[in-house]
Amino acid sequence: MAASRGEPDPRPPLSSSSSSEIHVRGNSRRGANLIHPVDIPTPPAPAAPSPVVFREVKHFRRWVAWLLPTFVVVNTVMFVITMYVNDCPKNSESCIARFLGRFSFQPFKENPLLGPSSSTLQKMGALEASRVVDRHQVWLLVTCIWLHGGVFHLLANMLSLLVIGIRLEQDFGFVRIGLLYIISGIGGSLLSALFLKSNISVGASGALFGLLGGMLSELIINWSIYTNKVAAFVTLLTIIVLNLAVGILPHVDNFAHIGGFLSGFFLGFVFLIRPQFGWVSQRYAPPGYLTTSVRSKFKKYQCVLWISSLIIFIVGFTVALVLLLRGFDANDHCSWCHYLSCVPTSRWSCNSSPGYCTSTQLGSQLNLTCSTNGKSNMYMLSDPTTSKIQGLCSQLCS
């Protein structure tokens, strides 16, 4: 069709020598036509981005928990050894689970926790304030942490240790958590010995409360890196208060709980501090990544808490140890503090002082009289040992 007059034809002339001509070739394969451009250059493919190399941040690394499970094994082994030394059939008239032989338990009336006698615990290293003060057996502040009064006592503490301790050891490592556990246990023993002058004390409860105190201070000092921090704080505080409330029951050493908690609380500010995220991201950022410039590794409030807590702990621990070795009795200066460990009610009494007996031996007849409750009993024993008499006295006075 010819173009109209006065208007150029928009179509290029059909000439084989035209420079604007485009050549195409068609390939037919199985009936499909593929058209490939020949003269149009293909743009180069974009370069692949360099891979980002992630490095482990040592301040937030995950540790393998092995120390606290080892502590569980040690506590269990110590309890088995204590029961072997106790040898209930030899030193008591009646025993629970007598089929266990020398591993059988003392009567419920004497020890409701399914465990050894008080005299056996004293032999194994139970905390007794008079021995620390008069005989300077300071190691009892440590040995009592690894002893337990019975099966129920052992199970409760070891299950709690696994639940609380493994998570902490995974987050902060075995060195810091191990030190926190042991020092808190000693702190609990110190406060217990300052107030409980007539009873013996055993158990890892003080060290466990130290871990709870450390969890609370860790949440406070690392407040800025947590989400849902208020809910976590309220939950943790509720758990701590409920556990301390259980300590007002009789036969529970709540002074060890309080001392361990306070020790762990102040040590947590020292051992469990973490650097602020801005400093970590700046130090570990890959090359070419821009981060906000942060000069200080820790925030100001973290430094203040770290220094003040370290001073308070060192001063408090030293003063408590000196007072104990001088025979200081905290009950003389705090008339109401005994209610922190036991509150008497119509259902129970807080008088848990150990009983003492007077004994007379006439041939094969042993007469015992408990000085605490005035009860007397006669036993047919030809040559009783001291351990035997102490076990019979404990049953008579209980």
Side-chain angles (χ1 to χ4, degrees):
M1 177 178 179
S4 59
R5 187 181 295 178
E7 295 181 3
D9 189 351
R11 292 173 296 176
L14 299 177
S15 172
S16 60
S17 61
S18 173
S19 60
S20 62
E21 183 177 0
I22 298 176
H23 298 271
V24 298
R25 68 168 179 260
N27 293 333
S28 176
R29 182 179 298 176
R30 297 184 182 179
N33 294 327
L34 301 179
I35 299 177
H36 304 274
V38 174
D39 297 335
I40 300 178
T42 303
S50 59
V52 178
V53 179
F54 293 96
R55 292 186 295 164
E56 182 183 39
V57 180
K58 70 176 183 178
H59 303 89
F60 294 90
R61 64 173 291 186
R62 297 290 289 177
W63 298 76
V64 176
W66 63 269
L67 182 62
L68 294 189
T70 303
F71 285 172
V72 173
V73 174
V74 172
N75 278 277
T76 305
V77 171
M78 286 302 302
F79 180 74
V80 173
I81 295 175
T82 303
M83 293 307 303
Y84 179 85
V85 174
N86 184 66
D87 195 4
C88 181
K90 181 180 179 181
N91 301 312
S92 300
E93 287 189 324
S94 60
C95 301
I96 299 176
R98 205 174 184 89
F99 63 89
L100 295 175
R102 65 184 301 151
F103 294 98
S104 56
F105 310 110
Q106 296 298 123
F108 268 120
K109 190 176 181 181
E110 180 182 352
N111 188 344
L113 298 176
L114 287 181
S117 63
S118 298
S119 59
T120 300
L121 290 173
Q122 288 174 312
K123 291 178 183 177
M124 296 297 297
L127 177 61
E128 194 173 3
S130 60
R131 294 171 63 185
V132 177
V133 176
D134 300 332
R135 305 179 191 177
H136 301 288
Q137 297 178 354
V138 185
W139 59 84
L140 297 179
L141 297 171
V142 180
T143 56
C144 66
I145 303 173
W146 309 96
L147 301 175
H148 287 82
V151 175
F152 297 144
H153 189 199
L154 178 69
L155 287 176
N157 279 350
M158 294 304 100
L159 288 175
S160 300
L161 179 58
L162 290 175
V163 171
I164 299 172
I166 286 182
R167 174 256 171 187
L168 283 174
E169 188 176 349
Q170 289 175 339
D171 287 346
F172 296 97
F174 68 94
V175 174
R176 287 186 281 182
I177 300 305
L179 289 174
L180 180 65
Y181 178 89
I182 294 175
I183 298 176
S184 296
I186 298 174
S189 299
L190 274 175
L191 192 64
S192 174
L194 286 172
F195 281 95
L196 299 181
K197 297 297 183 179
S198 59
N199 296 336
I200 64 172
S201 178
V202 294
S205 302
L208 285 171
F209 271 85
L211 296 182
L212 284 175
M215 290 177 66
L216 182 61
S217 56
E218 188 269 330
L219 177 62
I220 295 173
I221 199 169
N222 301 321
W223 186 263
S224 60
I225 69 175
Y226 281 101
T227 57
N228 299 325
K229 57 193 73 176
V230 176
F233 179 81
V234 173
T235 302
L236 183 57
L237 195 62
T238 302
I239 293 173
I240 293 171
V241 171
L242 290 177
N243 279 275
L244 288 174
V246 175
I248 66 174
L249 298 174
H251 308 294
V252 178
D253 185 3
N254 211 28
F255 288 116
H257 297 172
I258 297 172
F261 172 79
L262 292 176
S263 300
F265 180 72
F266 290 115
L267 284 176
F269 290 117
V270 178
F271 289 157
L272 308 183
I273 186 173
R274 290 187 187 272
Q276 54 177 317
F277 268 140
W279 182 87
V280 174
S281 61
Q282 174 181 292
R283 182 171 181 179
Y284 290 91
Y289 279 71
L290 298 178
T291 59
T292 304
S293 178
V294 178
R295 295 182 179 180
S296 177
K297 182 176 181 180
F298 302 104
K299 294 189 175 182
K300 290 184 179 179
Y301 82 92
Q302 290 180 301
C303 298
V304 172
L305 286 174
W306 192 93
I307 295 173
S308 58
S309 298
L310 181 61
I311 295 174
I312 291 173
F313 174 78
I314 293 176
V315 172
F317 192 91
T318 304
V319 170
L321 183 59
V322 171
L323 290 177
L324 175 61
L325 295 178
R326 290 186 176 183
F328 180 82
D329 189 349
N331 296 290
D332 296 337
H333 303 271
C334 183
S335 59
W336 56 268
C337 285
H338 63 278
Y339 291 116
L340 294 174
S341 185
C342 182
V343 177
T345 67
S346 58
R347 294 182 177 272
W348 63 71
S349 172
C350 292
N351 184 17
S352 57
S353 300
Y356 298 94
C357 298
T358 57
S359 63
T360 56
Q361 183 77 40
L362 298 174
S364 61
Q365 178 178 317
L366 174 66
N367 294 310
L368 286 181
T369 301
C370 178
S371 58
T372 305
N373 54 25
K375 293 182 180 180
S376 299
N377 203 354
M378 182 184 66
Y379 306 92
M380 300 304 296
L381 297 171
S382 57
D383 189 17
T385 62
T386 303
S387 298
K388 183 77 170 180
I389 295 175
Q390 289 178 346
L392 295 174
C393 178
S394 298
Q395 296 180 36
L396 187 63
C397 295
S398 58

